[in-house]
Amino acid sequence: AYFMMALHPDPATPQPFFGVVAGTAPDGHGSFRALYWLRYLSWAATTPLILLDMGMLAGFDFWENFLLICLDILMIGCGYVGAAEDALEFVAFAPGMVFFVIVMFRLANGVQAAAQTDDSDDKAAKMGLCLGITLVTWACYPVFYMLSQQNLISECAEVIAFAILDVVSKAVFGFVLLRDEDLLVDNTEMQVIG
């Protein structure tokens, strides 16, 4: 769907591609640009699952996972408000980045601590790889968000950049996580028992 958005033949007439283009948002220069609201809905549905997976790997309890997921949803909400309303762009971006930093800091510390205390070097390396994929790709999202909000990249480049980030942060992460059942089973059993 992201590549179809990038190849949309006429951005001046935002016809929905399976509901992806919902309308327009002010671009800060007296005109409007397409607002891809489905992107934010997708993130609100998928990023909590990634955080839950990472939280389970780190051995977080229910409330730690719940807090990270709530902060994540608030972060995405701030991004949507900033994208939809030009006047609130920086007002919404600032708290969104605060939520982002808290989530990334807690996630990084928790997974690193779990990896250091794990007996298996192979398992610790895979936990580190999952964490690395998440930290690096998620750190790119606010960069491309600001580049697109400031019209420093084209709409096509924005869509392609977010599509690549989504594939790496979700599909590649999922592949790395699911290719080793021991990584999941040991930590899941620990959550159920502990």
Side-chain angles (χ1 to χ4, degrees):
Y2 281 106
F3 285 109
M4 291 304 291
M5 290 187 296
L7 300 174
H8 193 278
D10 186 9
T13 58
Q15 298 297 320
F17 175 74
F18 297 112
V20 174
V21 178
T24 58
D27 70 356
H29 301 290
S31 60
F32 294 86
R33 61 179 173 74
L35 175 63
Y36 300 106
W37 63 269
L38 189 60
R39 175 186 299 155
Y40 296 93
L41 183 61
S42 169
W43 292 337
T46 57
T47 57
L49 297 174
I50 293 170
L51 289 174
L52 184 60
D53 287 335
M54 294 299 291
M56 289 176 72
L57 287 176
F60 291 164
D61 65 17
F62 171 82
W63 292 110
E64 289 173 298
N65 282 323
F66 181 75
L67 176 64
L68 285 181
I69 290 169
C70 287
L71 291 173
D72 177 56
I73 298 294
L74 289 170
M75 171 183 70
I76 293 165
C78 288
Y80 176 77
V81 168
E85 183 56 53
D86 188 57
L88 298 175
E89 179 179 9
F90 293 108
V91 173
F93 183 75
M97 283 305 297
V98 170
F99 299 141
F100 175 80
V101 169
I102 293 169
V103 168
M104 291 295 98
F105 181 77
R106 180 64 189 126
L107 193 63
N109 285 339
V111 173
Q112 286 178 341
Q116 290 174 353
T117 59
D118 198 280
D119 296 335
S120 168
D121 289 338
D122 184 46
K123 186 174 168 185
K126 289 176 183 166
M127 290 170 69
L129 180 58
C130 286
L131 177 64
I133 290 169
T134 302
L135 292 180
V136 170
T137 57
W138 284 29
C140 293
Y141 280 99
V143 172
F144 282 104
Y145 174 85
M146 286 309 296
L147 289 174
S148 64
Q149 288 298 110
Q150 297 300 308
N151 296 314
L152 298 175
I153 59 174
S154 69
E155 183 180 332
C156 181
E158 169 194 357
V159 171
I160 290 172
F162 282 126
I164 291 169
L165 287 173
D166 280 352
V167 167
V168 173
S169 70
K170 295 172 187 161
V172 173
F173 169 85
F175 176 77
V176 170
L177 183 68
L178 296 176
R179 72 178 176 172
D180 185 3
E181 186 178 320
D182 294 336
L183 185 63
L184 295 173
V185 172
D186 292 346
N187 283 297
T188 304
E189 287 174 359
M190 201 168 32
Q191 287 289 319
V192 172
I193 295 169

